[in-house]
Amino acid sequence: MRLSSIAVAVASVSGIAGASDSCGNGPFPMSLCNGVKIEDATINTLQQWMANGALTSQDLVTCYLARIEQTNKYLHSISEVNPDALSIAATMDQERVAGQVRSPLHGIPFVTKDNYYTDDKHNTSEGTLVLLGGKFISEATVVKKLRAAGGVLLGHSTMSEAADHRALSNYASGYSSRTGQTRNTYNLTQPTAGSSSGSVVAVRTNQVAVAFGTETHGSLVHPSGQLGLYTIKSTPGLISRYGIVTGSFWHDTPGALARSMADVALAMDIIVGPDAHDNLTFDAIGHYPENGYYSQIADKDSLRGMKLGIPWDPYWSTIGHINSPGIREQYEKSIQQLEAAGAEIYNITDSPFVGISNKYGGGQVSDVAPEFNHVVVFSTLMAVGYGEYLENWTFPEGDERYGVSSLAEMAAWNRAHNDTTGALGNNTWWWDNSTGQSFYDAGVKTNGTMDTAFWTAFGNVRTSARRAIDIAHAYVADNGSVVALDGILIPNGRGGNRGNACASLPSFAGYPIAAVPLGLDGFSTPFGVCVYGRQFGEAKLVKVASAMEDLFRWNERPQWYNYDTAKGPWDMPWPGYTCSDESQDRFACEPAASS
């Protein structure tokens, strides 16, 4: 369903989106929804309104569609809406009237990142043109669980093309050749910081209440930090990845993005669990909390006696973000608040992260030996992952992409259809200037060969990362006693697009992270803190993060700075191809007239 058609759907339910009263600040105040202020509402609050009859699921869908129509031309956060969203909502309303409420998500609209395959009338394309219009063999397991819980799939969110796996240099995170550049609603000149950016922007701007993304290396926690939301990047295998376009079997994990840790926990209780299609999920059996993740939600009183570590080197000493003007002072104030609430803060000066973490931002140390470089691991696993995913991905017979079955063939198709010659001059800046797909090309070179060199690199980095995080959780006091820490605190922000250090080591280790917002930086964009946990330690992360949420209570609304003046080539279609609203109605982009 093209976005310009939303107004027709909205107009069909009178008196909801068109209310004259509005709330919120800035150039795009949000209208009341059937007289109710749903702006910044959590899942529980929306459920209360539906339970007492103040709102219906159809009301929510209609109002969120109106919000998308109002804001998406500036944000590009929604790639396509589900044409069946209102009919699904009507079914959920009928069930509620009959006394059937499936779960806390019953009737709640949600969006998924464009790499979750949904077996319905709108596209899953991973933000690419090469996959647009294709079909997977089955709907993603996470989507099936959300539908079964009564959730209403509102649409797909924009994502960085190929989950930031297409290029490693001279590209813009959040850019898709299908939909354009997702924009940061606090300051539209600033980055969105990860491939799940459309999902984060959609929640933060009230286009939807909850959204789902994925992370291989930072794509949940980094945009959450940059736009002030909560998330948990879980241990790979806690949540099934089946039906989601594969970046790396050993690193990928889906996750919820929301305005409260309670909403994240509610979603986790629905989507975790074993899946016969994802054998890594069987490693998680026995690690789920007895009464679910929502039972771990805590208030600030739980901080009393909580033990939290600060690894001074390298995360708190040298990284660019924390040394941006005014940022260190805000972090120090937050630590003081934690101590005042009764938390015990341990300064890990003898940090196990030194020597394996980049002291200036993300990734490994700059002098890592080539045989231990994790980029080789990511490149190889990407080639393997796409090959396996494409085994079950088909295009209509007669389509020129029919039979595309490997990363190499995807890269070849891109070369044939995209301008990689620099003919557009400065307008090609968002991709690597040599090929337009440096990460793809690196993956192709590996041929997906998981040989001794691959396992050497993978084993070395995974082992060292896990050892570092585990050791950090066991603080050794001056008297030799060992203190088991509840979490390790890492700054999470960009400081004007400086490298973020939050995600790298847990990605390499396959360990979980929680993200909590704290404040605004000098560029008027949010920043926060990441909490490192141990393998399958998500329940403790929910407790730590929700207690911090209750203490800090940060929820500064978007500022929309530069929304009408920010310049860039973001609205231009990729050379030779045009993705118009009309062509999306036909589930495909069309060759431009000049091609």
Side-chain angles (χ1 to χ4, degrees):
M1 181 178 186
R2 68 178 187 262
L3 298 183
S4 60
S5 297
I6 295 173
V8 176
V10 171
S12 67
V13 183
S14 62
I16 296 176
S20 59
D21 292 329
S22 62
C23 47
N25 301 314
F28 302 102
M30 187 173 182
S31 297
L32 299 177
C33 187
N34 202 26
V36 177
K37 179 184 175 183
I38 65 169
E39 185 176 25
D40 295 346
T42 64
I43 291 174
N44 280 334
T45 300
L46 295 175
Q47 282 293 353
Q48 291 171 12
W49 283 325
M50 286 192 287
N52 65 26
L55 289 172
T56 66
S57 180
Q58 292 173 84
D59 291 343
L60 290 178
V61 167
T62 302
C63 293
Y64 286 133
L65 289 176
R67 183 63 169 172
I68 292 169
E69 180 75 7
Q70 179 189 28
T71 59
N72 204 62
K73 66 180 179 179
Y74 295 96
L75 301 174
H76 294 185
S77 45
I78 301 296
S79 64
E80 196 168 346
V81 297
N82 182 4
D84 293 327
L86 275 170
S87 63
I88 296 170
T91 299
M92 295 304 106
D93 288 335
Q94 292 166 5
E95 290 185 4
R96 187 182 296 275
V97 170
Q100 179 185 357
V101 176
R102 303 185 188 186
S103 81
L105 205 65
H106 188 102
I108 300 293
F110 69 92
V111 300
T112 65
K113 189 174 179 178
D114 192 29
N115 57 351
Y116 286 67
Y117 181 69
T118 60
D119 192 17
D120 51 21
K121 297 175 184 175
H122 67 318
N123 288 287
T124 300
S125 71
E126 206 200 13
T128 71
L129 299 180
V130 66
L131 294 181
L132 187 65
K135 298 288 185 180
F136 193 65
I137 193 172
S138 177
E139 190 159 72
T141 298
V142 167
V143 177
K144 286 184 177 180
K145 288 186 173 185
L146 292 169
R147 289 191 197 267
V152 179
L153 178 59
L154 189 66
H156 286 168
S157 59
T158 297
M159 59 182 287
S160 302
E161 179 148 351
D164 278 337
H165 293 146
R166 176 167 169 163
L168 283 174
S169 59
N170 296 329
Y171 77 106
S173 188
Y175 179 82
S176 161
S177 58
R178 176 186 168 195
T179 56
Q181 177 70 48
T182 307
R183 310 297 291 276
N184 190 317
T185 186
Y186 285 85
N187 182 340
L188 274 75
T189 68
Q190 294 302 298
T192 52
S195 67
S196 299
S197 54
S199 291
V200 179
V201 172
V203 175
R204 177 42 73 189
T205 54
N206 290 285
Q207 292 178 331
V208 74
V210 62
F212 293 84
T214 60
E215 176 160 331
T216 303
H217 178 262
S219 287
L220 287 169
V221 294
H222 286 172
S224 291
Q226 190 70 7
L227 284 126
L229 288 188
Y230 297 87
T231 194
I232 286 184
K233 191 283 290 191
S234 59
T235 306
L238 187 75
I239 304 166
S240 173
R241 288 82 51 85
Y242 181 70
I244 300 172
V245 183
T246 309
S248 166
F249 175 80
W250 293 105
H251 302 82
D252 290 356
T253 186
L257 298 147
R259 59 183 67 259
S260 74
M261 189 51 63
D263 284 0
V264 173
L266 283 174
M268 287 179 67
D269 283 334
I270 291 169
I271 63 179
V272 300
D275 179 9
H277 296 292
D278 184 349
N279 62 290
L280 206 57
T281 59
F282 293 100
D283 292 346
I285 295 174
H287 293 286
Y288 317 118
E290 183 177 354
N291 296 311
Y293 292 97
Y294 187 76
S295 70
Q296 303 300 307
I297 294 296
D299 59 22
K300 61 185 178 183
D301 291 340
S302 297
L303 290 167
R304 189 162 302 280
M306 193 175 284
K307 300 171 175 59
L308 303 171
I310 295 178
W312 180 256
D313 283 329
Y315 294 126
W316 291 78
S317 60
T318 54
I319 64 170
H321 162 63
I322 199 169
N323 289 308
S324 299
I327 298 299
R328 185 175 295 280
E329 292 80 359
Q330 292 192 65
Y331 274 114
E332 289 177 353
K333 179 181 178 182
S334 298
I335 298 303
Q336 293 167 3
Q337 289 178 271
L338 287 168
E339 289 181 312
E344 300 173 15
I345 305 297
Y346 295 83
N347 189 341
I348 309 174
T349 54
D350 187 17
S351 173
F353 301 112
V354 173
I356 61 173
S357 297
N358 187 329
K359 62 182 179 180
Y360 300 115
Q364 296 172 268
V365 291
S366 58
D367 58 352
V368 61
E371 62 268 27
F372 299 142
N373 193 324
H374 213 64
V375 172
V376 174
V377 174
F378 283 133
S379 298
T380 304
L381 290 174
M382 179 174 62
V384 173
Y386 274 107
E388 293 179 349
Y389 191 84
L390 289 168
E391 289 178 2
N392 295 308
W393 185 265
T394 59
F395 293 99
E397 286 196 50
D399 190 296
E400 62 179 335
R401 295 163 297 174
Y402 184 79
V404 168
S405 61
S406 68
L407 179 63
E409 291 172 341
M410 290 172 62
W413 189 92
N414 282 340
R415 280 192 295 272
H417 292 83
N418 298 335
D419 183 337
T420 60
T421 65
L424 292 181
N426 291 334
N427 288 335
T428 61
W429 66 272
W430 54 77
W431 295 123
D432 178 90
N433 287 330
S434 60
T435 66
Q437 47 189 8
S438 60
F439 205 164
Y440 272 12
D441 290 341
V444 171
K445 287 180 181 179
T446 72
N447 200 34
T449 302
M450 299 169 70
D451 54 12
T452 300
F454 165 83
W455 288 113
T456 297
F458 178 79
N460 176 274
V461 178
R462 173 140 292 193
T463 299
S464 60
R466 287 186 170 185
R467 183 186 300 120
I469 294 172
D470 290 340
I471 290 173
H473 278 82
Y475 177 79
V476 180
D478 291 340
N479 62 7
S481 63
V482 177
V483 179
L485 302 185
D486 295 300
I488 308 298
L489 306 184
I490 310 294
N492 183 24
R494 305 293 279 191
N497 209 23
R498 299 172 188 267
N500 195 318
C502 170
S504 296
L505 260 290
S507 172
F508 301 155
Y511 277 15
I513 325 170
V516 179
L518 293 179
L520 289 177
D521 62 22
F523 297 86
S524 297
T525 56
F527 69 90
V529 65
C530 283
V531 186
Y532 285 5
R534 300 186 67 187
Q535 187 179 36
F536 295 116
E538 288 81 4
K540 181 168 285 187
L541 288 181
V542 169
K543 182 176 181 180
V544 174
S546 59
M548 293 173 65
E549 174 188 359
D550 186 48
L551 175 68
F552 299 128
R553 293 179 177 269
W554 190 90
N555 186 32
E556 181 132 0
R557 287 179 177 149
Q559 309 298 310
W560 294 91
Y561 289 129
N562 304 301
Y563 81 94
D564 57 349
T565 59
K567 302 296 183 182
W570 301 294
D571 293 325
M572 295 184 61
W574 195 265
Y577 252 65
T578 299
C579 289
S580 64
D581 289 341
E582 291 75 16
S583 69
Q584 287 188 31
D585 268 350
R586 294 188 290 277
F587 310 117
C589 294
E590 299 175 334
S594 60
S595 65

